[in-house]
Amino acid sequence: MTEYQEIEPMVDIPAESESAAAEAAEQEQPWLRLDRRMLLVHPVNEVVKLLPVLVVSFILGSQSGNHLWGVAVVTLLVIFGLLRWFTTTYRIGPVHVQLRTGVFQKKLLSVPRSRIRSVDVEAGVMHRLLGLSIVRIGTGQRAGKGHESNKFELNALSSALVPDLRAALLAGARSKPEKPGQSTSETPLPQEPSETEIGHWQPSWVRYAPFSFTGIFIIAAIVGIAFQYGVGSAIARSSAVSTSVDSLESLGVTVLVVVALVALLVLSSIFACVQYLIAFGNMTLTDNGRILHVSHGLLKTRQTTLDRARLRGTTLKEPLLLRLAGGARLDAIMTGVSAEKKESSLLLPQGPRAEAERVMATVIGDTRQASIPLGGHGSAARRRRYTRGLFAAGTALVALLVSLAFGVQIPVYAWVGVAVLAVGGTALAYDRAKGLGHAVLPGWLITRSGSLDRKRHSLEADGVIGWTVRETFFQRRAGVATVIAATPAGTGGYAVIDLPAQDSWSLIEAVTPGAGDVWADRR
């Protein structure tokens, strides 16, 4: 019979080893169960996740007079949640960390301890009340499509176990030799260095929360759910809403639109501020020289470890609204952490731009990054920005002129619309042209682009594994090219857009000496 044990707070975790003796000893390691308090967490989580199904079952039960529908659904969800505790076990051996899960389909997930690069900790409201945490183990490798279920997650462990467990699982990375051929015996395990706080969230930063679309997305989700289950229709048909709309209509359509927009702006700002406080309250960023440790959240807390050995740079995000308010957000560019898959690489949330730049310089260890001026890409790149920005207005104007030539009466608001498109397109083109630029520092490539979603990437040259020079038909006509630095970190590629074509290979040579010579003669 398989032996199961419950891990105690001060239990010894075997040291990492890859020897044959360690492999044999690992098979004798007991399989451990998650904390018994998980029995209170998972049933509630299952009910919350399937709350819409539960609501429908209660509605069907009420209409049919059989209220056992709702009771049956709740009972099944609770049983499923309880079964997850009985069918989930894990084992921490000297060679692997293993997890066995599955109520209907059994699965064994095994992670070599030598590949562990991060141990992230999260705790929701119920977890915090019960003294539990969720531990996620990462290997720094990109999961392919359809591999979301292969994430190594221990939900839930006693919070008292987490610090020692994380230290033990991350200790192996510190003991590995940095140079090929160097034995581990020559590299003694160093003492964990003390942490230094390099970034701290301030309550005043909540003023930057409304300068995003978060509040509007929340309102849209609430309205969608409300109408999906009939609540929104009932509210819309209520006498209070009808009376209010009639009163506003009596004042005119313009007043009604203005009041609606103001109400939307106020509500979206409130929701954005609340979401911002809950997600990022009490945030701290610490650095011990080896690991960046990010901790944030009021109700649901999250602790993320970012291994400096996998750090390849930073991304300063400046969306238009946030930029107008003088704010920015800072993310890390990490090997094995995919920005496209929304994996966490956050260093600072929306806050003052000056603070984001200070933390950026501290993280990458280069104070020049924030102040260095970026070189422009010339008149051809600027002309392309204006061509694209005015394309919609130009197309609309041609359509109106053709219609006018055929005797069609054009209303005044159509000409006003074209003028608005032209002014908006010109402003957008100007901002995009102003934001386009790049710079090369010893060991670094800096590139910036965009207007509505402007981003400034600082990419370490050592993290570049390849180059692509792309020239579309229209780019060739304009004499420009887009140079893409390929990297296993972040988004996988960082582009210098619409650079003069003759400067492409010199840029590559400046960032990666010798790389430009390989292709320069083949143009």
Side-chain angles (χ1 to χ4, degrees):
M1 179 179 291
T2 306
E3 180 183 2
Y4 298 102
Q5 294 183 3
E6 288 206 35
I7 189 167
E8 297 299 329
M10 299 306 294
V11 71
D12 289 333
I13 299 173
E16 180 185 332
S17 176
E18 296 182 356
S19 64
E23 286 271 10
E26 185 169 84
Q27 301 306 314
E28 303 300 322
Q29 287 282 127
W31 287 91
L32 311 170
R33 290 197 187 280
L34 299 173
D35 196 285
R36 282 196 181 97
R37 287 168 287 184
M38 168 187 169
L39 294 171
L40 297 175
V41 175
H42 282 305
V44 175
N45 286 346
E46 297 298 333
V47 171
V48 171
K49 284 192 295 186
L50 296 177
L51 191 59
V53 177
L54 189 59
V55 171
V56 171
S57 66
F58 273 111
I59 293 174
L60 291 174
S62 300
Q63 292 177 347
S64 63
N66 183 3
H67 296 281
L68 293 179
W69 276 96
V71 176
V73 172
V74 173
T75 302
L76 289 175
L77 292 177
V78 170
I79 291 174
F80 181 76
L82 296 176
L83 288 175
R84 289 183 62 183
W85 184 80
F86 290 100
T87 57
T88 301
T89 55
Y90 69 100
R91 179 165 68 182
I92 303 177
V95 184
H96 298 90
V97 181
Q98 297 172 302
L99 176 66
R100 297 196 303 196
T101 59
V103 176
F104 302 109
Q105 182 180 4
K106 299 296 182 182
K107 182 189 300 180
L108 173 63
L109 184 59
S110 182
V111 174
R113 288 185 61 174
S114 60
R115 302 299 297 272
I116 293 176
R117 295 294 180 268
S118 66
V119 179
D120 298 338
V121 183
E122 186 177 295
V125 177
M126 284 200 64
H127 289 77
R128 295 179 66 185
L129 291 175
L130 297 172
L132 300 173
S133 296
I134 304 171
V135 177
R136 295 188 178 93
I137 297 174
T139 60
Q141 302 296 314
R142 290 176 178 268
K145 186 177 181 180
H147 287 65
E148 293 297 318
S149 58
N150 289 340
K151 292 182 178 179
F152 199 107
E153 178 179 282
L154 298 176
N155 183 8
L157 294 178
S158 170
S159 297
L161 300 175
V162 173
D164 290 340
L165 175 62
R166 178 165 54 189
L169 293 179
L170 292 175
R174 301 197 304 274
S175 64
K176 293 178 179 59
E178 296 182 1
K179 298 179 180 179
Q182 181 184 359
S183 66
T184 55
S185 60
E186 298 172 352
T187 310
L189 184 64
Q191 292 280 333
E192 185 71 22
S194 60
E195 293 187 339
T196 302
E197 184 176 277
I198 61 174
H200 189 90
W201 178 84
Q202 301 293 333
S204 60
W205 293 4
V206 74
R207 68 182 186 271
Y208 294 100
F211 296 95
S212 68
F213 296 101
T214 302
I216 295 177
F217 292 152
I218 295 175
I219 292 176
I222 293 174
V223 171
I225 293 173
F227 277 95
Q228 183 177 357
Y229 295 102
V231 178
S233 300
I235 294 175
R237 291 193 300 267
S238 65
S239 58
V241 173
S242 300
T243 303
S244 301
V245 172
D246 291 340
S247 301
L248 290 172
E249 284 182 341
S250 64
L251 299 175
V253 177
T254 304
V255 175
L256 178 62
V257 172
V258 170
V259 170
L261 290 176
V262 171
L264 177 63
L265 180 62
V266 172
L267 285 176
S268 64
S269 298
I270 292 174
F271 280 123
C273 290
V274 171
Q275 190 273 341
Y276 181 85
L277 284 170
I278 292 174
F280 302 117
N282 293 330
M283 179 174 188
T284 59
L285 171 63
T286 60
D287 181 15
N288 66 4
R290 188 183 62 86
I291 285 178
L292 296 170
H293 184 75
V294 186
S295 176
H296 59 89
L298 291 181
L299 299 180
K300 181 180 181 179
T301 62
R302 183 169 187 176
Q303 301 176 36
T304 305
T305 56
L306 301 175
D307 187 358
R308 272 191 168 278
R310 297 190 293 123
L311 179 69
R312 294 296 176 263
T314 59
T315 296
L316 193 67
K317 298 183 177 180
E318 306 172 90
L320 178 61
L321 294 178
L322 186 59
R323 190 167 73 251
L324 292 175
R329 166 183 165 138
L330 185 66
D331 282 31
I333 299 175
M334 304 291 299
T335 300
V337 178
S338 173
E340 295 176 340
K341 296 180 181 297
K342 307 300 182 182
E343 295 177 352
S344 180
S345 58
L346 176 70
L347 294 177
L348 278 184
Q350 301 99 301
R353 177 188 171 90
E355 179 66 10
E357 291 177 342
R358 183 194 65 80
V359 173
M360 176 184 72
T362 303
V363 168
I364 63 181
D366 192 338
T367 57
R368 301 169 298 172
Q369 295 273 352
S371 59
I372 184 173
L374 303 187
H377 291 182
S379 58
R382 186 165 52 253
R383 189 164 53 249
R384 280 172 57 82
R385 307 279 87 73
Y386 280 96
T387 301
R388 293 181 178 186
L390 294 174
F391 178 79
T395 303
L397 179 60
V398 170
L400 291 182
L401 292 176
V402 170
S403 299
L404 192 63
F406 280 96
V408 178
Q409 193 70 22
I410 307 297
V412 176
Y413 64 80
W415 299 104
V416 173
V418 172
V420 170
L421 284 176
V423 173
T426 301
L428 179 63
Y430 172 79
D431 193 51
R432 291 186 66 211
K434 183 180 178 181
L436 189 65
H438 77 282
V440 177
L441 293 175
W444 291 94
L445 169 65
I446 306 170
T447 177
R448 184 181 66 190
S449 62
S451 174
L452 300 179
D453 188 23
R454 181 175 296 174
K455 296 178 182 177
R456 176 185 173 124
H457 307 291
S458 298
L459 181 64
E460 190 178 21
D462 289 343
V464 178
I465 60 174
W467 293 92
T468 299
V469 178
R470 185 178 63 203
E471 295 176 274
T472 65
F473 172 78
F474 293 105
Q475 283 182 314
R476 288 198 301 272
R477 299 272 297 182
V480 297
T482 295
V483 181
I484 303 172
T487 175
T491 60
Y494 294 89
V496 181
I497 301 174
D498 284 352
L499 184 71
Q502 65 271 18
D503 296 338
S504 301
W505 306 104
S506 59
L507 170 68
I508 295 174
E509 181 67 23
V511 179
T512 311
D517 296 338
V518 176
W519 303 102
D521 296 335
R522 303 188 182 185
R523 284 178 55 83

